[in-house]
Amino acid sequence: MTLVKEESAGEPEGDSGEGGARETYVPSWRRIERERYKRSRARRATAIAALSTLVTGIVLYLVVVNAPGWPRTKETFFSAQYAREAFPKVLEGLWLNVRLLLVCGAAVLVLGMLIAVARTLRGPVFFPLRALAAAYTDFFRGLPLIINLMIVVLGVPALRLQGITVDPVLLGGTALTLTYSAYVAEVFRAGIESVHPSQRAAARSLGLNNRQALRYVVLPQAVRRQVPPLLNDLVSLQKDTGLVSIGGAVDAVRAADIIVGRSLNYTPYIVAGLVFVALTIPMTRFTDWVTARMDRRQAQGGSI
């Protein structure tokens, strides 16, 4: 780095305190060469990545289209006629998946937080509550989601209980909430336990009781730290809303299944899958952005 002095135009000497001169930063030739080298390396890496991606895509395309069964596979899974027929019906059913995501996502966050708080309560008097919360998380994290859905969606109506709904959408949403709240509870619990005990002690020294310290000091830090894994769980929930179709609810998957059953062509499944992918990618990229932002703030010494 080189510092040079420049005369201030239109100012009399002595006004600046040093004869009208000011110091201006001029990068050294070594720095200029280093920046030029970095830019050339970046351009070279981008070109190599683009070329390798293009070559890989061409190779995969040639392998697929030259396979012996490709004509039959193309007719069965990639029919433009059935894709046009299925697309509007799949989109109509997707609205049910979106509503399930919004409602179940909110319920999962609330229930998961309550379970996590119950597992972190201190004192022997809260042991039964801690044991029940631990049993809940262990059971529903170990139980496959598809089995949970079958038990709730198919088993509850078989009981013929008065006042209990038999709507497959509500029952399917209940099963999703039960399973995902167990996972989210562990995410919240990890965040709560990651807060240093000195934070709680400092809150108590300021006159806050345990409940106030948890609400105003511990939980805000715990939730902020666990935002990326929480978003990942919501992405998984968005995909798994398609499983409510096993109870007969006409969502995007069920709409595709109806067309497949009538035509014996599997293109509607591809359409439904692509629609879910298109819905999931923005959420995934947003999760990556939040994670990278929090990593940068942590590396710079900011609050996390």
Side-chain angles (χ1 to χ4, degrees), residues 124-143:
V125 69
F126 295 114
F127 174 76
L129 193 58
R130 291 197 301 268
L132 287 175
Y136 178 93
T137 55
D138 290 343
F139 179 79
F140 282 104
R141 290 176 70 200
L143 184 67

Side-chain angles (χ1 to χ4, degrees), residues 37-298:
Y37 176 73
K38 288 181 179 180
R39 289 193 295 269
S40 65
R41 286 291 300 272
R43 289 193 296 268
R44 180 172 178 270
T46 302
I48 292 175
L51 180 61
S52 64
T53 302
L54 179 62
V55 171
T56 303
I58 293 174
V59 170
L60 290 176
Y61 173 79
L62 293 176
V63 169
V64 171
V65 300
N66 291 319
W70 168 244
R72 181 59 178 170
T73 301
K74 180 180 178 181
E75 178 184 354
T76 305
F77 288 91
F78 302 99
S79 172
Q81 173 188 350
Y82 288 107
R84 287 191 297 268
E85 178 184 353
F87 186 69
K89 294 181 173 59
V90 168
L91 281 185
E92 183 179 353
L94 184 67
W95 174 233
L96 174 60
N97 298 104
V98 173
R99 285 181 292 167
L100 278 172
L101 172 64
L102 297 177
V103 176
C104 294
V108 162
L109 291 176
V110 173
L111 184 57
M113 175 63 75
L114 293 177
I115 296 171
V117 171
R119 291 203 64 180
T120 57
L121 290 176
R122 300 179 178 182
V125 69
F126 295 114
F127 174 76
L129 193 58
R130 291 197 301 268
L132 287 175
Y136 178 93
T137 55
D138 290 343
F139 179 79
F140 282 104
R141 290 176 70 200
L143 184 67
L145 176 58
I146 189 69
I147 295 179
N148 186 18
L149 280 163
M150 290 181 177
I151 292 174
V152 176
V153 175
L154 304 179
V156 172
L159 296 175
R160 298 182 181 179
L161 298 174
Q162 294 294 328
I164 301 299
T165 182
V166 295
D167 187 348
V169 176
L170 296 178
L171 293 176
T174 301
L176 290 172
T177 302
L178 290 174
T179 295
Y180 272 91
S181 60
Y183 289 99
V184 170
E186 288 300 283
V187 173
F188 279 132
R189 186 170 72 95
I192 293 173
E193 293 182 348
S194 69
V195 178
H196 198 273
S198 62
Q199 297 290 312
R200 193 186 295 265
R204 294 301 306 277
S205 68
L206 293 175
L208 301 180
N209 56 34
N210 283 326
R211 181 180 60 82
Q212 291 172 332
L214 180 66
R215 177 181 177 184
Y216 295 110
V217 178
V218 177
L219 287 183
Q221 297 183 65
V223 172
R224 187 163 56 246
R225 294 177 180 182
Q226 299 304 102
V227 167
L230 288 174
L231 291 175
N232 282 326
D233 284 334
L234 289 180
V235 170
S236 298
L237 175 62
Q238 185 270 321
K239 295 183 297 182
D240 287 340
T241 55
L243 295 176
V244 298
S245 61
I246 66 174
V250 184
D251 67 330
V253 177
R254 182 60 178 168
D257 188 57
I258 292 172
I259 300 175
V260 170
R262 184 179 68 248
S263 64
L264 298 180
N265 187 284
Y266 297 103
T267 303
Y269 285 147
I270 303 298
V271 174
L274 293 177
V275 168
F276 272 101
V277 169
L279 186 63
T280 301
I281 286 178
M283 297 178 63
T284 306
R285 296 286 76 80
F286 177 70
T287 301
D288 293 341
W289 177 80
V290 171
T291 303
R293 180 173 178 269
M294 295 184 68
D295 290 342
R296 287 195 302 269
R297 292 183 62 182
Q298 186 175 6

